[in-house]
Amino acid sequence: PGALSFPAEAMADAFAETGGEIAAARGGVLVYCDSPACDEALQAIAFLAQAGCTNLLYYGGGWAEYVKEKVSIEAEEAR
């Protein structure tokens, strides 16, 4: 819940529109890319940290790994 998309080319504008929501995130901010080959999540972490956000979490496997692992977990639960 509360997922936001920050495209790298528009990160400053997107943060300006939603920055208060991100800064107020209590459980941390999970930042990830599409895949491990993408470095935009690391750029986003640096940007958010410089903007004063704390409790930033990096998921290096990216969306592709998350989807793969989530599908496996759901398959196990269905058995």
Side-chain angles (χ1 to χ4, degrees):
L4 302 171
S5 177
F6 274 74
E9 63 276 0
M11 195 175 313
D13 292 337
F15 182 78
E17 291 178 21
T18 60
E21 188 174 338
I22 291 171
R26 292 184 184 171
V29 177
L30 178 64
V31 182
Y32 59 89
C33 273
D34 187 48
S35 72
C38 173
D39 70 346
E40 291 180 4
L42 294 175
Q43 293 173 26
I45 292 250
F47 177 88
L48 293 169
Q50 187 174 24
C53 294
T54 59
N55 205 11
L56 300 169
L57 309 166
Y58 172 64
Y59 183 65
W63 180 250
E65 181 180 280
Y66 172 78
V67 170
K68 178 183 173 188
E69 294 302 317
K70 186 165 174 57
V71 170
S72 296
I73 290 168
E74 288 174 356
E76 285 295 319
E77 290 175 355
R79 290 183 189 186

